[in-house]
């Protein structure tokens, strides 16, 4: 029995030690296979959907066939309508995110660095954080009207908290051992902030940025659904009243796509800014 | 022409906690001359690291006085370079940026000094590396270069090679001796390694524990470079071990 196994091993070796061109090909085949496996479910769902919907087995009014959604997409792009609404939504979200994110960063840094500031400010912020945004929306409409101001403020309020919480955490995570080093090297107070606290807090700040961006995007939907005359949320709202389900689907897909895109952008920023990190594998 | 660099007078330090007090340092008097290489040795808990932190100005909760070059020490400064047990480099900065720290490498004179120090600590070629890419010994050499860039009057080293493997440790000790012999910076090194203190220093200060006080001050007159296997080295080593382990050593031998 041992004899047969001895023979089997050298016979198997030449196969596993293939030349590199072949293993490259093999890798590509493996990749293709995994793409195929990943795409199998969504593609078959889309196909089934298409067949069921065009044959009216499911009501095409509620589940418009994917081909129609795609057709609408092309039409709205060529008419410039889609771009118009998308632009307005993105400007709103970015404006709100900038106001909320920057104030979250500054206040979070301040509160993180001074114990006294934490005692004065943090309890109030944590209390405000617990209020659901939807609950304040009516107040915002009463105070600031249906215009841009209430929308941007709602978005910035949503974007503020994740940035604040994570920056605060980051500023608290500064290694006290490195703080001793800055004392021996006679860093000024400003240098301690720019050369120690900020870089130490950077991983948390970037996490805050990511969460804050995605919350800004979600608040945008709330803000636009509560009443707007342009934007992706408006597009969805209007399509609902005209029973144009395919436009609703399109709006949802756009929210998903832009949300994913902005998240990927922050990930790129992360891998660029945090390449010094020992544990960063992203 | 020896002149006094560091003078510690009547240093006392006590840790207070809710249910006990620990007298860490008891009446420490110590004078260190310019250019000396001193090692502080003693059992763990004898307050040797605390003493070094007091000299550095990192710990100001004590009674007594520390004078550096005739001036009272009351805060950390670049004059008192400090090497911690861990390298304590900024992980987001490269080797050359870590050495420069708050100074700008765009300044040609600083860039030149940094380059000189990098070759002094034998790290040429690693200027742009990040701490995560360095070994423990290399990181500690960056920390030493960072301290030396500030032209310290005294370099304080708190068990700087304790975390390194034996081979790297020997290598680092030789590197430190080279630096000392070329710069003549006054060195105070805390260690619990008898060989290390005999290999490096002009004078070994032996500390006693509970309360920490100076037990002996032993001049080491062996010529450099010292051979760890040499007869004189081994004799001193045996005496030092005896002094550290047993209380009943004839103190006359040690010219206290």
């Amino acid at each position: 029995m041992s004899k047969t196994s001895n023979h089997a091993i050298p016979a198997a070796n030449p196969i596993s030690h293939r030349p590199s061109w072949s293993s490259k090909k093999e890798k590509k085949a493996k990749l293709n296979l995994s793409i195929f496996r990943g795409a199998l479910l969504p593609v078959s769902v889309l196909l089934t959907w298409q067949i069921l919907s065009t044959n009216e087995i499911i009501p095409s009014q509620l589940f418009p066939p994917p081909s129609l959604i795609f057709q609408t997409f092309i039409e709205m792009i060529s008419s410039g309508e889609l771009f118009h609404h998308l632009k307005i939504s993105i400007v709103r979200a970015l404006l709100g995110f900038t106001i909320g994110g920057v104030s979250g960063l500054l206040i979070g840094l301040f509160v993180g660095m001074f114990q006294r500031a934490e005692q004065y400010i943090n309890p109030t912020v944590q209390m405000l954080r617990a209020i659901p945004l939807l609950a304040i929306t009516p107040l915002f409409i009463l105070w600031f009207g249906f215009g841009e101001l209430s929308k941007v403020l709602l978005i910035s309020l949503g974007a503020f908290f994740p940035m604040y919480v994570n920056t605060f955490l980051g500023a608290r995570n500064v290694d006290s051992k490195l703080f001793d080093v800055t004392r021996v090297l006679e860093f000024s107070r400003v240098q301690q902030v720019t050369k120690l606290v900020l870089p130490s807090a950077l991983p948390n700040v970037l996490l805050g940025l990511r969460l804050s961006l995605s919350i800004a995007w979600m608040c945008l939907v709330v803000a636009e659904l509560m009443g707007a005359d342009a934007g992706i949320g408006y597009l969805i709202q209007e399509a609902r009243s005209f029973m144009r389900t395919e436009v609703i689907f399109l709006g949802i897909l756009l929210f998903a796509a832009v949300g994913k895109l902005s998240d990927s952008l922050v990930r790129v920023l992360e891998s660029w800014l945090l390449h010094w990190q020992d544990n960063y594998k992203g | 022409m020896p002149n006094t660099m560091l003078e510690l007078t009547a240093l006392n330090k006590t840790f207070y906690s809710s249910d006990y007090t620990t007298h860490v340092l008891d009446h420490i008097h110590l004078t260190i001359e310019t250019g000396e290489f001193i090692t502080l040795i003693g059992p763990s808990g004898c307050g040797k690291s605390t003493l070094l932190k007091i000299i550095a100005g990192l710990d100001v909760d004590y009674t007594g006085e520390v004078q550096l070059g005739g001036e009272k020490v009351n805060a950390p400064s670049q004059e008192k370079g400090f090497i911690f047990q861990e390298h304590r480099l900024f992980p987001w900065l490269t080797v050359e940026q870590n050495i420069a720290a708050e100074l700008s490498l765009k300044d040609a004179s600083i860039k030149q000094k940094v380059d000189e120090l990098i070759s002094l600590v034998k790290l040429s070629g690693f200027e742009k590396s990040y701490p995560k890419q360095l070994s423990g010994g290399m990181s500690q050499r960056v920390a030493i270069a960072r301290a030396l860039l500030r032209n310290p009057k005294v370099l304080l080293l708190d068990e700087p090679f304790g975390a390194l493997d034996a081979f790297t440790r020997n290598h680092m000790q030789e590197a430190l001796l080279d630096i000392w012999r070329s710069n003549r910076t006054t060195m105070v090194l805390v260690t619990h390694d008898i060989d290390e203190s005999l290999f490096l220093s002009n004078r070994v200060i032996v500390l006693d524990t509970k309360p920490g006080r100076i037990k002996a001050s032993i001049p080491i007159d062996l010529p450099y470079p010292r051979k760890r296997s040499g007869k004189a080295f081994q004799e001193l080593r045996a005496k030092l071990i005896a002094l550290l382990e047993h209380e009943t050593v004839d103190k006359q031998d040690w010219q206290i």
Side-chain angles (χ1 to χ4, degrees), chain A residues 56-230:
Chain A
E56 287 296 335
I57 300 170
I58 54 170
S60 65
Q61 184 80 76
L62 297 180
F63 301 93
S67 60
L68 181 62
I69 299 174
F70 186 70
Q71 199 188 326
T72 317
F73 175 62
I74 300 292
E75 274 168 18
M76 289 180 80
I77 277 189
S78 46
S79 72
E81 202 186 346
L82 201 64
F83 181 70
H84 167 72
H85 290 294
L86 191 61
K87 197 179 83 181
I88 286 176
S89 285
I90 288 180
V91 167
R92 274 180 193 144
L94 279 184
L95 207 61
F97 164 74
T98 310
I99 297 171
V102 168
S103 46
L105 179 76
L106 293 180
I107 299 176
L109 209 58
F110 181 70
V111 170
M113 284 179 56
F114 302 101
Q115 200 107 39
R116 190 70 64 81
E118 184 194 355
Q119 289 167 355
Y120 276 118
I121 297 172
N122 196 42
T124 314
V125 176
Q126 294 301 339
M127 194 174 69
L128 291 177
R129 197 162 77 92
I131 303 172
L133 271 179
L134 273 175
I136 333 179
T137 313
L139 264 185
F140 268 53
I141 294 174
L142 282 177
W143 288 345
F144 309 111
F146 276 104
E148 291 304 298
L149 185 63
S150 64
K151 292 182 183 56
V152 170
L153 283 182
L154 193 74
I155 295 166
S156 53
L157 188 66
F160 172 80
F161 293 110
M163 200 65 189
Y164 167 84
V165 170
N166 283 289
T167 307
F168 171 53
L169 265 181
R172 277 296 148 86
N173 279 345
V174 176
D175 191 345
S176 63
K177 290 175 171 176
L178 287 180
F179 191 72
D180 273 351
V181 172
T182 67
R183 290 176 64 205
V184 173
L185 296 180
E186 295 183 70
F187 277 30
S188 68
R189 192 79 189 144
V190 174
Q191 282 170 337
Q192 279 180 345
V193 175
T194 57
K195 311 223 163 190
L196 177 63
V197 179
L198 270 179
S200 303
L202 196 60
N204 288 81
V205 171
L206 285 172
L207 178 65
L209 183 81
R210 231 172 117 190
L211 295 174
S212 179
L213 253 181
S214 71
I215 293 235
W217 200 233
M218 285 178 200
C219 289
L220 175 78
V221 185
V222 175
E224 289 188 340
L225 286 180
M226 80 190 184
D229 49 14

Side-chain angles (χ1 to χ4, degrees), chain A residues 176-178 180-187 191 195-196 199-200 275-278, chain B residues 57-58 76-78 80 82 84 86 88-92 101-102 130 132 146 150:
Chain A
S176 63
K177 290 175 171 176
L178 287 180
D180 273 351
V181 172
T182 67
R183 290 176 64 205
V184 173
L185 296 180
E186 295 183 70
F187 277 30
Q191 282 170 337
K195 311 223 163 190
L196 177 63
S200 303
H275 60 101
W276 50 267
Q277 260 192 349
D278 215 359
Chain B
L58 284 167
S77 74
Q78 301 187 354
K80 306 173 287 279
F82 201 99
F84 297 89
E86 330 81 38
R88 300 203 186 180
L89 300 178
F90 298 108
W92 50 85
E102 88 284 9
Y130 285 90
K132 67 169 179 183
R146 177 170 69 184
R150 275 92 195 156

